[in-house]
């Protein structure tokens, strides 16, 4: 039985997040489920929201969106999970039946407000709850929830709800189309996504994985994962010494994006994991045109990628735990949420 109230980690203002008592969710329709979060990884974006780098209105909202947990209650029409199942909760809300969901574009589900996600209420205008809570309501349980294989740990499963799947998708399709190609990953502010991309590129057979960054710790981390690590201070005119058929921009910086695009060889593909600024001057559009390169930028379609990434983790092809830098109890979220670690995981204290 779920109590009428629960504890929720709440964004109040930049550098001010606190635990609050709020009304607990209830099942309101037959296709819903309630999940008790057991592990919640800090998304790369969460750090910048929490510390004010990405400004938010000072309007409280539930925090945390990379979730692995336990099903505690289901509606009458739910058939794919039962109470006690351990599940990944994809960070985006998606119905599974609309035209976009049917095509695998779960980021663009048309049944809910645009950009609907856990822990990011200010994007969609609706608070769907957050991972750092006693419970979360899953509105489309059969479409969204994915059972966690026994061989996959809860911290790893939580990361697969967003960042690990994001890193994977940046190289999976390009390497399938161009097997064995060398890959460049332009690292930076999307700290863990860039490193997850390194892991995926190595695992999926890239002949060479090069990782650039301005942060010494991330460079060392990328090298330990199998990349050639090169320090680069990104600028609009930073020299490009080599071009690659597959490039990932995980810098989240204007200058990093320009460097990534200029590093993409003729008819190559550059995938961006974020939009570093609404309008960017200095993009090498003429050069992109002459070389005929493809630039793809979007949020990951998380639900569509989760099972493939879980499979890679289950068989040991990708050791996602090697990207995680610290595991802490939920009770330390308030004092640790803005720590500079690359990838923090919060686990329920009694786990």
């Amino acid at each position: 039985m779920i109590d009428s109230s629960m504890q929720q980690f709440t964004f109040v203002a930049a550098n001010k997040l606190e635990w609050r008592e709020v009304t607990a969710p209830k099942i309101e329709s037959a296709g819903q489920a309630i999940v008790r979060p057991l592990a919640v990884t800090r998304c790369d974006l969460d750090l910048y929201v929490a510390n004010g780098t990405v400004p938010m209105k000072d309007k409280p909202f539930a925090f945390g969106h990379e979730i692995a947990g336990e099903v505690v209650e289901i509606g009458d029409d739910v058939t794919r999970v039962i109470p006690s199942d351990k599940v990944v909760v994809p960070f985006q809300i998606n119905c599974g039946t609309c035209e976009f969901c049917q095509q695998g574009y779960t980021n663009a589900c048309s049944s809910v407000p645009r950009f609907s996600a856990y822990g990011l209420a200010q994007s969609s205008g609706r608070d769907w709850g957050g991972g750092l809570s006693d419970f979360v309501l899953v509105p489309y349980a059969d479409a969204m929830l994915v059972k966690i294989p026994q061989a996959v740990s809860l911290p790893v499963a939580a990361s697969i709800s967003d960042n690990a799947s994001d890193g994977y998708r940046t190289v999976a399709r390009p390497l399938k189309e161009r097997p064995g190609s060398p890959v460049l990953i332009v690292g930076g502010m999307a700290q863990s996504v860039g490193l997850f991309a390194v892991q995926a590129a190595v695992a999926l057979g890239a002949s060479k994985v090069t990782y650039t960054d301005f942060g010494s710790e991330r460079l060392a981390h990328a090298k330990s994962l199998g990349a050639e690590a090169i320090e680069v201070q990104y600028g609009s005119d930073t020299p490009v010494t080599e071009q690659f058929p597959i490039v990932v921009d995980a810098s989240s910086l204007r200058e990093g994006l320009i460097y990534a695009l200029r590093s993409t060889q003729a008819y190559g593909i550059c995938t961006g994991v974020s939009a570093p600024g609404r309008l960017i001057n200095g993009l090498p559009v003429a050069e992109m045109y002459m070389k005929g390169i493809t630039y793809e930028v979007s949020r990951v379609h998380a639900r569509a990628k989760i099972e493939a990434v879980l499979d890679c983790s289950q068989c040991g092809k990708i050791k996602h735990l090697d990207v995680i830098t610290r595991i802490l109890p939920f009770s330390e979220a308030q004092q640790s949420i803005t720590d500079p670690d690359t990838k923090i995981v919060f686990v329920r204290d009694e786990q």
Side-chain angles (χ1 to χ4, degrees), residues 97-121:
T97 58
C98 72
E99 179 182 359
F100 287 120
C101 285
Q102 287 290 300
Q103 295 179 74
Y105 301 139
T106 53
N107 171 49
C109 177
S110 60
S111 296
V112 294
R114 289 197 310 162
F115 317 130
S116 288
Y118 294 106
L120 295 166

Side-chain angles (χ1 to χ4, degrees), residues 11 13-17 42-56 63 189 191 336-341:
F11 175 93
N15 294 298
K16 185 180 181 182
L17 294 94
R42 188 186 67 185
C43 170
D44 296 342
L45 175 61
D46 287 342
L47 171 61
Y48 307 122
V49 171
N51 68 19
T53 301
V54 175
M56 292 284 169
F63 205 72
M189 304 294 282
Q191 302 186 98
S336 304
I337 195 66
T338 57
D339 287 357
D341 298 65

Side-chain angles (χ1 to χ4, degrees), residues 243-266:
Q243 294 191 333
F244 294 77
I246 299 172
V247 177
V248 177
D249 174 35
S251 70
S252 295
L253 297 168
R254 169 188 175 274
E255 295 80 5
L257 172 58
I258 293 171
Y259 179 80
L261 292 169
R262 292 175 57 232
S263 297
T264 306
Q265 74 177 34

Side-chain angles (χ1 to χ4, degrees), residues 260-281:
L261 292 169
R262 292 175 57 232
S263 297
T264 306
Q265 74 177 34
Y267 297 95
I269 180 170
C270 177
T271 302
V273 303
S274 67
R278 295 180 183 275
L279 298 171
I280 298 179
N281 293 322

